[in-house]
Amino acid sequence: MNKRTITLRVNGAEHTGETEPRRLLSDFIRDDLGLTGTHVGCEHGVCGACTVLVNGDPVRSCLMFAVQADGAEIDTVEGLAPDADTLHPLQEKFHERHGLQCGFCTPGILLTARALLRENPDPSDTEIREWLSGNLCRCTGYVNIVTAIREAAKEVSRR
Amino acid sequence: MAYIGSSVKRREDVPLLRGAGKYVGDIRRPGMVHAAILRSTRAHARVAAIDATAALALPGVVGVITAADLPGLKTIPMRTGIMEGLKRSQQTPIATDRVRYVGDPVAVVVAQDRYIAEDALELVEVVYEDLPAVTGARAAMAADAPRLHEEVPGNVPADFEVDVGDVDRAFAECDLIVEETFETQRHAAVPLETRGLVAEYDEVRDVLTMWGPTKMTHTNWRILSELSGLPQSSIHFIEPAVGGGFGARGEFYPEDFLVPFAAMHFRRPVCWIEDRSENLKATNQSREQSYRVRLGLRKDGTILAMDAAILFNMGGYTRTHGGLPVMASSAMLRGPMRIKNYHCHAYCVLTNKTPVGTYRSPGRYEANFVRERLLDMAARRLGLDPAELRRRNLIRPEEMPYDHGKHPFHYMVYDSGDLPGQLEAALGHMGYDELRQRCTAAKAEGRAMGVGIGCFVETSGIGPWEYARVEVGNNGGVVLYSGVNSVGQGIATALSQIVADEMCVSIDDVRVVHGDTAKVPFGNGSNASRCTVMGGSAAVGACRKVKDKLLALASAELEIDAGDLVLEDGRISVRGAPERSLDFAALARLALPGPALAKGLTPGIAEEDFFATDKRPFPYGVHMVAVEVDRETGMIEILDYLVMEDIGRKVNPMIVEGQMAGGLAQGIGGALLEEFVYDEDGQPQATSFMDYLMPTAMDVPPGRFISTEDFPSPNNPLGVKGAGEGGITAAGAALANAVSDALGVEVTRLPLKPGYLLELMDAAEQS
């Protein structure tokens, strides 16, 4: 199949690569860019594990072709922490509040939460749950995830 | 400091939060190719012919494997739940001449990438000759039902009975006999990460390495050796990060043979990652049971007898769990109630559905639903409050340890606890009396509000043994090599707490190694809430031996009697002279072969221990829920949900309550949403998350979770009882009772979908 050349900015760095038109953005991120923090849980856009930010919006990377992301700005979980020694407030609060168990859904949830906090710096629990409704977690029962996001929101506003 | 009992933050978290967790799908090997499995599209058929010519011609295809490439295939053995008769219906790793469920592996395609492998799947032509299919257990037992396995007439490969007391005599003395049939629907663990394996054979070292085996790493290591003929020394299993287990993930499945076979056959590293559609057809399902039960009581509510028949729908083959779920159901159907006369006949039944295994609280979730429903039905007929009926029948603290009587496959002596006390506490936390009044008031306004109780006894910490080795490493750090596995529950953190306390070191100086067969020789894995109970107890034993070794080394070096030495803060010092001390790093240097042999000591600081027991702990507790049902739509709103559980001793309260919350979410999913529907031809109707409904953040209420440690288990040195399953076990029971109360109906099956509730309401109106 003919390959196309695409250029993306991922976590602030520019990447150019060749890809078949049918290649999913999730596979491009994981295999071509080696950023395996983006997980694939269903490949049909329900579980939300593969959520990344495309130009700031949460997107299921399993429902988008890599070629459609040509020229886009993409954020993955690997770019969330400001540096190697510091965690993002969301990551800190997930750690403090036991907001993860197996960690498989976590990257997608962190990115959804990041988009939420940009749009709404002070979300209610109901608003947090509405935003999370596109991300399945099988381990935690969501309780501690909601708490962690609520507390991270305060922390982000405080800083 | 004491780490046990403290909510230590999990050591697993930070890499996972950064996206640095290496799950099996993240493993890359040089030259790695990708496998895809061709699965039966028929529920029951003969495989007349397979033609892979077109697939093999596709550029990028490495090869295709069918049963013809695998002569003399053995079947996958049971690892537990073993009954002789079930051996006749074990599964071969690939279908030989017949398929028995939609999803049965028929061929393996290996290609340069997954895209090409899936293209090639469509080019493999299989000629099926359809056979009649049967999906229901009762239908499969009928005389004219199609037979799945020639060696198993009647499709019942095994059955057994439990007989305690004198049921016939006791029923004759009853004032009320409640008789009912119940059904629990087929659903499953469905961890968010699907299964996967990477296999690579190194011809020079003669080692087959597999990334991905989890839960039962050591058991699977042995099974692969037995099936493949490779010695265990030539197989190396590595457990990577794992995206949830809950019983299903990590058992030995057909792919656990096919993927390593493909790697050796094609001499290439092979990666197979299950897709979600496969996962919903091929991975063990669970929970599908039918009951006919009689419960006999006196007028005052005293239960005298129970008699049950259980049909266990196993799907097309016996898998590694054998009859375990129905063994557990038949054992725990009495649960927390004093029922001295009990009979149960359990039947394992083969049908043309996906084979089954365990799912968190296997068999118990189902049995709790049945018993707790029966209790509410009896209470209603006797004019007793459901809580009062339970008060009159719960096993009392003075009866502990309580022996439920002989069961052919299950340990039955409850270790310790105050079940009535736990119920009273839960009633208090819930504000039960006031809640009842609110329900009555709501009903007077035409609103369907109800409250439901689900009392339970769980069973955890299964033996018969667990392995631990504790070492002091060259840097003075303590390393635990444990035979248990991680499926994401935080076991490395909990075991670190136990080891740090036992060795009097900082938790930062403890490492835990697990799931690696090159480093840990024995293990019984992660199941039945056993990791902290069995793995923790074995770790304690090994730590104690290591302490003796450290004292012996220090004694020889300092020329002081070991009895005059003390271990604290990671050092051994002379009692009363703390300046004369040796830290662990210094002791490790003294234990190097040179100095140790010179002093006549065995080199190294590494001690093994096995914790072995046939007994099991029994955590217990209560689920209590208030609901309101919309009479127009049949939709259920959960107003309040409380889970209380006594687990003997909490190693990490934060993790314990996380387990309860996660379990409850799954229990709510199972009670309200999740169902594997099959049509009458055995075609699965729920093969994506569009049809198999997993609970979202909008479906799961916040809930209240109270774990207590009032009654430590006498059956292990830590007093722990295991905390993985109490959150789910009585969810179906409590919700069904609450909905029955709200609507004034009698729920007899799960899930509580709106259509079913509307049906019940219609029937109630007509009668």
Side-chain angles (χ1 to χ4, degrees), chain A residues 2-46:
Chain A
N2 291 334
K3 293 199 171 183
R4 302 245 308 257
T5 301
I6 60 169
T7 301
L8 318 172
R9 277 188 79 77
V10 181
N11 301 327
E14 193 169 290
H15 294 270
T16 298
E18 284 201 330
T19 180
E20 285 183 8
R22 69 171 177 172
R23 192 159 182 77
L24 300 177
L25 178 59
S26 52
D27 289 335
F28 188 82
I29 289 170
R30 289 173 47 76
D31 290 325
D32 296 52
L33 303 182
L35 296 170
T36 55
T38 298
H39 298 152
V40 175
C42 74
E43 290 183 289
H44 54 270
V46 178

Side-chain angles (χ1 to χ4, degrees), chain A residues 4 6 8 21 23 25 54 63-72:
Chain A
R4 302 245 308 257
I6 60 169
L8 318 172
R23 192 159 182 77
L25 178 59
V54 177
L63 286 189
M64 194 168 168
F65 295 116
V67 291
Q68 292 175 291
D70 190 13

Side-chain angles (χ1 to χ4, degrees), chain B residues 433-443 447 449 626 639:
Chain B
D433 293 336
E434 194 206 325
L435 197 53
R436 278 272 171 231
Q437 288 164 12
R438 277 174 57 205
C439 291
T440 308
K443 283 173 187 162
R447 286 163 51 214
M449 184 176 157
L639 306 172

